[in-house]
């Protein structure tokens, strides 16, 4: 059965023909090829690699990049791809987010012509897989403290350190690795099989089981001088990649919420209790469904507006933080309410709800936790950074700068 979508106020009318076509293509792919296998992948803790060539054929990787055989779609279309994929599973959306926003984007934005030629067509076709190594065991929310180093030695860079929680780490043909150099943080491309570079999977995950999460190790790992992304000048470049991925997650959250809402609505119309009537006839059940559809609708409008702003070049990191934070929170709350409506059936994977509920815990934490995004938005509206606790480090905001930011 085709997923009918969730659209209370005709947001469909805001989309142009190309955007609808992209959405419908991905929806069909998800219904036909992803839904039949995703529960099994989640149970088996397995990334559905068999879908990668088809996703390449459908141009789902690097979709906003123009050239190199890539489609150069607008940002609303990109968002709709993320929405439809996450309607199936956050892990699948993660796979495409990392490939597109965290690996192809930095190669396109900060790479040399040779690096672009080498990786972008292959990654677009799904013939090469990438991963993004920023987080370290002791530096998650605060990547600026990273200990991984890159030291220049003649015609080579020598990498030492480790990265943790890296999506696609053991699957990747190439890793974008962020490391401290004498001149600050720089990005490097490290190829699978390079001596001194190791990767191993992290086990015991109860969330994002259809996605591979890994540790990366670098021990006197020598890479050629031209493996550095030449246009990287600091941590800022890594954070620019996160902007791309976080924007996609703002749409992905809506996809997850659509899935749990739709499941709860259908279930409530069929499940009979007490008076021979479906549970949907009760006001308390309707109140939950109404909360869900209200927040999904607001999230859709927010995501669409962010897409418009991104295409117009007007978006700022704090706007993206608002979208990621709000829409993932909505998805998390919708998963909880849907699980309640399904009763005991809410805890078994015959229904997608418990899988989405578990998955969204990762999404709530990665790409900047819910609270870190509160601090980004808080800094934007007050002018005061609250990331570091000591009071003496809080500078008084300049009145003019605060007023300008608030506008
Ligand atoms: P701070 O001193 O504020 O900034 C350093 C420089 O970067 C600039 N900047 C940004 N630039 C572009 N986009 C942004 N979002 C930016 N945020 C800051 C800033 O202007 C400054 O520039 P300059 O020219 O002065 O050097 O940096 P900080 O060290 O205080 O950190 C700020 C903070 C906490 C917001 C940042 O570190 C942060 O975002 N932390 C969260 C870490 C995070 O999100 N990690 C994600 C890892 S990847 C992942 O999770 C993938 S999951 C798989 C999937 O996506 O599906
Ligand atoms: P911490 O930073 O230790 O935070 C713990 C808690 O403290 C959180 O609640 C946080 O909000 C709070 N906290 C921290 N600092 C503050 C503060 N200043 N004020 C208030 N509260 C604060 N990383 C990559 O680089 N690449 C990947 O591909 C990748 N994939 C991932 C996949 C999965 C499944 C997961 C779970 C994570 C992934 N990550 C990846 C890592 C992810 O980005 C980090 O987990 C995230 O940035 C948070 O870091 P942390 O887990 O170390 O939490």
């Amino acid at each position: 059965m085709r997923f009918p979508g969730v659209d209370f106020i005709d947001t469909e009318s805001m989309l142009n023909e190309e955007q609808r076509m992209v959405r419908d293509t991905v929806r069909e792919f998800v219904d036909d090829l992803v839904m039949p296998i995703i529960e099994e992948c989640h149970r088996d803790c397995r990334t559905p690699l068999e879908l990668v060539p088809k996703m390449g054929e459908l141009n789902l990787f690097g979709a906003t990049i123009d050239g190199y055989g890539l489609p150069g779609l607008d940002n609303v279309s990109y968002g709709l791809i993320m929405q439809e994929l996450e309607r199936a599973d956050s892990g699948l959306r993660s796979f495409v987010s990392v490939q597109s926003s965290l690996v192809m984007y930095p190669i396109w934005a900060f790479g040399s012509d040779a690096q672009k030629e080498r990786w972008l067509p292959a990654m677009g076709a799904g013939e090469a897989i990438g991963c993004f190594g920023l987080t370290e065991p002791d530096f998650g929310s605060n990547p600026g403290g990273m200990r991984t180093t890159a030291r220049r030695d003649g015609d080579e860079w020598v990498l030492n350190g480790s990265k943790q929680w890296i999506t696609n780490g053991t699957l990747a043909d190439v890793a974008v690795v962020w490391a401290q150099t004498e001149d600050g943080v720089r990005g490097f491309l490290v190829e699978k099989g390079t001596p001194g570079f190791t990767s191993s999977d992290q086990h015991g995950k109860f969330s994002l089981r259809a996605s591979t999460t890994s540790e990366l190790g670098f021990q006197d790992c020598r890479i050629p001088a031209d493996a550095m992304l030449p246009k990287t000048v600091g941590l800022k470049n890594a954070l620019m990649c996160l902007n791309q991925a976080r924007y996609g997650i703002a749409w992905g959250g809506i996809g997850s919420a659509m899935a749990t809402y739709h499941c709860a609505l259908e279930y409530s119309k069929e499940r009979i209790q007490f008076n021979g009537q479906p549970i949907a006839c009760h006001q308390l059940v309707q109140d939950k469904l109404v909360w869900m559809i209200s927040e999904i609708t607001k999230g859709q409008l927010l995501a669409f507006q962010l897409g418009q702003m991104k295409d117009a070049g007007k978006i700022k990191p704090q706007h993206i933080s608002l979208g990621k934070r709000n829409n993932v929170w909505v998805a998390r709350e919708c998963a909880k309410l849907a699980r309640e409506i399904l009763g005991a059936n809410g805890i078994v994977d015959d229904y997608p709800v418990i899988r989405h509920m578990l998955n969204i815990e990762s999404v709530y934490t990665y790409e900047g936790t819910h609270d870190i995004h509160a601090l980004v938005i808080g800094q934007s509206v007050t002018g005061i950074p609250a990331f570091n606790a000591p009071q003496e480090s809080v500078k008084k905001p300049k009145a003019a700068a605060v007023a300008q930011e608030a506008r």
Side-chain angles (χ1 to χ4, degrees), residues 93-94 135 140-141 143 236 239-240 242-243 246 317 366-368:
R93 195 270 308 136
S94 250
T135 305
S141 295
K236 185 182 188 149
L239 299 175
M240 286 167 72
L242 302 186
N243 292 339
R246 291 167 175 173
Y366 68 35
E367 284 291 356

Side-chain angles (χ1 to χ4, degrees), residues 292-307:
M292 293 161 85
I293 190 66
S294 304
E295 293 301 331
I296 290 170
T297 303
K298 288 187 259 176
Q300 286 169 328
L301 296 175
L302 174 58
F304 185 80
Q305 169 65 1
L306 293 182

Side-chain angles (χ1 to χ4, degrees), residues 32 61 82 155 183 187 213-215 283 340 350 364 392 402:
D32 293 348
F61 300 127
M82 297 295 139
D155 284 345
D183 301 319
T213 314
S214 320
E215 287 175 320
Q283 292 174 355
E340 285 177 29
D350 297 343
Y364 194 76
E392 58 272 24
V402 174

Side-chain angles (χ1 to χ4, degrees), residues 312-352:
K314 291 184 177 163
I315 204 160
K316 292 184 178 166
Q318 59 267 31
H319 303 141
I320 296 173
S321 285
L322 183 69
K324 192 272 182 184
R325 182 174 188 270
N326 184 77
N327 288 3
V328 174
W329 167 74
V330 167
R332 195 187 196 211
E333 296 302 311
C334 284
K336 279 195 249 173
L337 291 173
R339 205 219 61 70
E340 285 177 29
I341 290 173
L342 265 69
N345 278 322
I347 69 153
V348 285
D349 65 7
D350 297 343
Y351 296 87

Side-chain angles (χ1 to χ4, degrees), residues 132 134-135 140-141 165-167 208 362 365-366 369 371 375 387:
F132 179 86
L134 178 64
T135 305
S141 295
W165 300 111
I166 307 306
T167 302
L208 238 66
S362 288
T365 288
Y366 68 35
T369 68
D371 288 344
L375 298 181
F387 298 100

Side-chain angles (χ1 to χ4, degrees), residues 59 61-63 65-71 99-100 103-128 174 189:
N59 282 321
F61 300 127
I65 298 175
D66 214 352
Y68 304 95
L70 302 165
Q99 180 93 342
S100 304
V103 183
M104 294 174 77
Y105 167 77
I107 292 173
W108 173 78
F110 315 125
S112 64
D113 287 344
Q115 289 167 336
K116 292 181 203 184
E117 291 292 347
R118 166 127 197 233
W119 292 109
L120 293 180
M123 295 193 76
E127 288 158 6
V174 62
L189 298 182

